[in-house]
Amino acid sequence: MKATVIATFFGVSLLCTYAAKETTKKMKKAKLYFALTDVPQIDCDVKAGKIINPEFIAKCPPGCQDVKYRVYGTDIYASFSSVCSAAIHSGIIDNTGGKILVQKVAGHSGYRGSFSNGVRSLSLPRWRESFLVSEGKPRKGVTYPSTLEYSSSKSTAVKSEPKKLEQDLKATKSADTANASEKASEEGDAVRKEYQTSPVLTPATQMATTTPTPTTTTTDPSTTTPKPTTTPATIRTTTVAAAAKTRPGLHRVRDIGSSSVHPAYSSVVAAASRQVQAAQGRGQNTAFRGTSTSASNRNILRPSTAMETDSWKPGLSLFDTGFSSKEELNPKPLESTSQGNPNCKVDLSFLMDGSWSIGKRRFQLQKHFLGNVAQALGIGSTGPLMGIVQYGDDPSTEFNLKTYANSKDLRNAIEKIPQKGGLSNVGKALSFVNKNFFSDANGNRGGAPNVVVVIVDGWPTDRVEEASRLARESGINIFFVTIEAAAESEKQNIIEPNFVDKAVCRTNGFYSINVPSWFSLHKVVQPLVKRVCDTDRLVCSKTCLNSADIGFVIDGSSSVGTSNFRTVLQFVANISKEFEISDTDTRIGAVQYTYEQRLEFSFDKYSTKQDVLSAIKRISYWSGGTSTGAAISYASEQLFSKSKPNKRKIMILITDGRSYDDVRVPAMAAHRNGVIAYSVGVAWAAQDELEAIATDPDKEHSFFVDEFDNLYRFVNQLIQNICTEFNSQPRN
């Protein structure tokens, strides 16, 4: 009996032990199943820096391969990057989404930009935190959260003193809480001091919100563990991102790189808000929507050190705050005017890059650059005038040439420009400027050279060659400023290789500037200003050298002689070689005359400069009388009647004596048909006939030398006059 009881006892004990082991196994399996299946999902625009968890597995949705979800770095990414877009860039997932493993690591300097798997990552000098992304498999011994903790998705992260934050927020609502404002100011001074002396910003200093909520999350600087607290119902975390309806796809968790107000300046903004409300009687949100962003307030909020520029971009830019004020987006001309720099009389249009790939911080750097250029130019009514067109998917004029007449107003207007977003369609923007910008209604002055400066981040997303050629043929000087151009491994992604060489006048480097980094863009302000103000060089840019049909009418009479005839041909060749010659650029034709006329070659005969120069050299001396009037009529019929509609028709006639026939009637007929006539007389040429042949004003279109050997003196002057006239006349 005793043995039976003992056996039963051991049997029950063994059975209990077995049951406990089975329960443990089931729990482990359930836990493993939970780890593999219950994975939190994140949105495409969520940045690693917004998630507090140091290591986590998450699921990315489809469609994150988009330029608006920006990535910074290669292999190791700055926490300012979109997590899912970084995973696509690294090749862990594709655009269909999937699970990824994210591990936070320390921040470092020199994040390298690259193009990989359809995602363009940007470079970054430094950031406070980094992360690695790998295949979404759990590591052994690591427990992954089923819910991710965000630093400020439905809450506001503060330094560690919620009462002071409450007082600071109340200060923005009421002008009566003076004591709270003083405390917030004290806190702001403390934070500002810490911010200016430390190159690393912790997540605890973030102040980013998306929706009003009655709760806040405080972050302990030592442990970075959130501690939820309940705040009174009167506290509402309000930002413009929540108060105003932003564009689709832009509503995201704010981060320290794009937050509207840094904690160090909260008291300043509160004071500005109270002043505006008192002066204009507007509500709280209005203070943040434009009236408080005066020039003085923007200067207060703007960073003043290199560290701040690299790490945080404060200030209330229109794009960051979701501005919708028509008054701000359509600035009115200010009455204050300036004479400007008289040594730089040009009409300028800057094409600024507003595409998603540039990012908010770089867009802000671009605006600072344009403001500095405006200041260096010396904008004024008798000097340079400047307008801006922003391009993305489509271009739009921010303001034209006559909107602002001094550098100060122009700089203030530039600071308020919001980012468009979209692709980098430079070709479409150039076509837009060519057709719409340089008009009398927009302030074009006619006699001033027209200049377009194109700012490009990386490379365009459309073709620019044809649009650039048409713009140059319309008399527009085109400059390209390219920032962070494609590396060798990225060049296969460019739609149009060597797009800069195809867009600008010649390839000698005068019309193009390549900047290695956005953070060195400020270094090219003075070189660019010097180039666009070099009006002597602009006058003879490709804008006037590639858009004409030039017909030479050459006197081959007996009085010229064989030797002098070769000198005349050299004069013709010296002029021709200065022009850009091709089927679509400048074309050259030639007629020789005595009593009769002979077509040496037509405009469509030769399409390269070398072929034209060789053809000029082969022209044989004819000898005979001098019927200049008949030669003009012949050239009108055989050359200029076949000129292209978009080409300037230019006739250059060289003669050494008085004509046997009348020149006035044929010359007037040519002028009526749009032929611009230049006359060059040598030795016994009659001055009255030269002036009758020449287009008015005849003093600028007629030349005379006493010897054939002195013809060379007029080569540069003749080309200068052609280009000056070209830029002063209406567009094609």
Side-chain angles (χ1 to χ4, degrees), residues 695-710:
T695 296
D696 289 331
D698 50 43
K699 297 297 184 182
E700 297 177 10
H701 294 82
S702 61
F703 304 87
F704 178 83
V705 291
D706 54 356
E707 295 181 356
F708 283 94
D709 289 338
N710 291 330

Side-chain angles (χ1 to χ4, degrees), residues 44 60-66 69 88 93-98 117 119:
C44 295
C60 292
C64 293
Q65 187 177 322
D66 195 309
Y69 306 127
I88 296 175
I93 59 174
D94 56 23
N95 201 37
T96 60
N117 301 308
V119 175

